[in-house]
Amino acid sequence: MSEAPKKTGVFNISILDDSPSTRNIAKYSLEQNLPCNVTLFSDLPSLLGNVPRATPDLVLLEDNEDSDVGISACESLKNAPISKNIPVFFLSSKKDPTKRVAALKAGGIDFLLKPFYPEELVTRVRIHIQMHRLRIENTAQIAEQKALLRVLCHDLVNPIFAAHSLLDLKHSLGKPVDESTLKTVIGCCQSALDIVTHVREEHSLVKTNKQFRSETVDLREAFEEARSTLGERLAKKEIRLELKCEDGLQLEIKRVVLVHNILNNLLTNAIKFSHEGSQIQMSGRKDPTEQFCTIEVRDYGIGMPPEILKNVFRDAAKTSRAGTSNEAGTGFGMPLVKRYVEKSGGAISIASQEAGKGVSIQEQGTTIRLNFPL
């Protein structure tokens, strides 16, 4: 059975040993010298059942001459996705070094012979926990850097495509660039610069674990800016974009994030999987409690099969597929949208009905719903 944890600090440590005296000495030594919360276990099922809830920074296991419980526990922890990266430290009573190697082969990072010197235990545990937390921090920062690289590779496409298409059309027709076209192209170039500037700012914030600053954004204006950026894509497939937004609706969010990282990605996906001549609806409204703003993007396209719908927000999942006009995709868009919605304090959900026999045009397609606090 598990002994009730005492919440006395920031390090979360679990100890499994069949000797009460060993458990208690280790617990006392650690709690007297480290800011930590130590939980004691005398059997393997209790430890394994508690790990998903407690997510310890380190697990201390027995490695006794007459028992392989500690090694079994280590193997179980290393085979479970939720605990495979948790450092495992052994307290060993095995005198034969060849036998102690089995604990390291099972995934242990270190061991200490019983009876142990308390100060040595404390020092080694502190070092391993600090190294573990640095690894977690580095992993998180690498993931953020990858996301920013994907923003540059993915979200810059829309404004650059729009500017290129407008200029290329004028050039192919042998017509001069009129003031209206020039204004649109300048706007697209500014959007591209905004995205690059935002990525540079966010890159510096990642290093300091800070969040980007929000601003007051008029939702109707954000909708119109998104429509302007994607106008060429809409026109190419003759898709009608219907915008509905309550007057005066404002969000506290960074404009470039809302328009380019969120709305443009959602609309690009909707265009990609819509048939030529169809329509897309984008709406913004307050919820009945007036505490949240709900944004919906609805298309009547081919929808998503269950296996893609289930994994559409996962970075590692392969959800990319060709559009209705054989448009290529990267699979980066929806994970990026989810990342920025949640970083902005919102929530995202998705519902989709795959087109097929017995499914009407009004039933098929995909609806993305975003909720942001007002």
Side-chain angles (χ1 to χ4, degrees), residues 37-163:
N37 169 32
V38 178
T39 309
L40 303 181
F41 300 90
S42 59
D43 61 81
L44 181 54
S46 297
L47 170 68
L48 297 179
N50 187 70
V51 164
R53 297 191 298 271
T55 316
D57 292 293
L58 181 139
V59 176
L60 208 59
L61 297 176
E62 66 183 6
D63 186 27
N64 298 333
E65 287 282 4
D66 56 351
S67 172
D68 287 327
V69 170
I71 291 177
S72 297
C74 184
E75 290 173 342
S76 297
L77 291 169
K78 295 303 173 182
N79 288 331
I82 196 171
S83 57
K84 66 179 181 180
N85 294 321
I86 297 174
V88 175
F89 190 107
F90 282 95
L91 295 175
S92 180
S93 62
K94 294 177 179 177
K95 306 304 180 185
D96 186 347
T98 60
K99 292 183 178 180
R100 294 198 296 268
V101 169
L104 300 178
K105 287 183 176 179
I109 55 164
D110 202 353
F111 67 86
L112 200 58
L113 290 176
K114 298 179 185 179
F116 57 85
Y117 180 48
E119 188 173 345
E120 184 178 7
L121 173 67
V122 170
T123 301
R124 292 195 184 192
V125 165
R126 179 193 290 113
I127 290 172
H128 285 303
I129 290 179
Q130 289 172 341
M131 290 175 63
H132 175 57
R133 291 192 168 183
L134 280 174
R135 282 193 294 269
I136 292 175
E137 183 178 335
N138 288 339
T139 300
Q141 287 197 2
I142 290 171
E144 288 290 311
Q145 303 292 5
K146 285 183 177 179
L148 293 179
L149 179 59
R150 288 176 176 178
V151 170
L152 286 177
C153 295
H154 189 273
D155 293 0
L156 276 176
V157 170
N158 285 323
I160 292 174
F161 174 86

Side-chain angles (χ1 to χ4, degrees), residues 233-283:
R233 291 182 184 269
L234 291 163
K236 188 174 182 180
K237 295 183 78 169
E238 298 182 343
I239 294 173
R240 182 168 63 90
L241 175 59
E242 180 184 336
L243 301 182
K244 290 184 179 180
C245 185
E246 291 183 8
D247 292 333
L249 193 53
Q250 296 180 325
L251 289 181
E252 290 300 317
I253 190 172
K254 196 165 186 180
R255 184 192 59 80
V256 64
V257 168
L258 177 60
V259 175
H260 298 290
N261 302 132
I262 297 176
L263 297 181
N264 279 357
N265 274 321
L266 294 180
L267 287 174
T268 300
N269 263 18
I271 295 167
K272 177 181 175 183
F273 298 112
S274 291
H275 297 287
E276 292 187 11
S278 61
Q279 70 168 341
I280 297 170
Q281 298 165 342
M282 185 160 68
S283 63

Side-chain angles (χ1 to χ4, degrees), residues 281-297:
Q281 298 165 342
M282 185 160 68
S283 63
R285 65 182 185 278
K286 292 180 182 178
D287 80 319
T289 66
E290 296 195 352
Q291 295 181 0
F292 294 92
C293 168
T294 298
I295 298 173
E296 284 188 354
V297 177

Side-chain angles (χ1 to χ4, degrees), residues 30 160 188 192 211 283 349:
L30 294 169
I160 292 174
C188 291
Q211 296 293 316
S283 63
S349 61

Side-chain angles (χ1 to χ4, degrees), residues 8-61:
T8 57
V10 294
F11 291 173
N12 193 0
I13 301 170
S14 296
I15 300 178
L16 171 65
D17 199 292
D18 61 2
S19 168
S21 61
T22 299
R23 294 198 305 268
N24 291 330
I25 291 172
K27 176 181 173 70
Y28 179 81
S29 301
L30 294 169
E31 289 186 339
Q32 290 300 307
N33 295 280
L34 293 176
C36 64
N37 169 32
V38 178
T39 309
L40 303 181
F41 300 90
S42 59
D43 61 81
L44 181 54
S46 297
L47 170 68
L48 297 179
N50 187 70
V51 164
R53 297 191 298 271
T55 316
D57 292 293
L58 181 139
V59 176
L60 208 59
L61 297 176

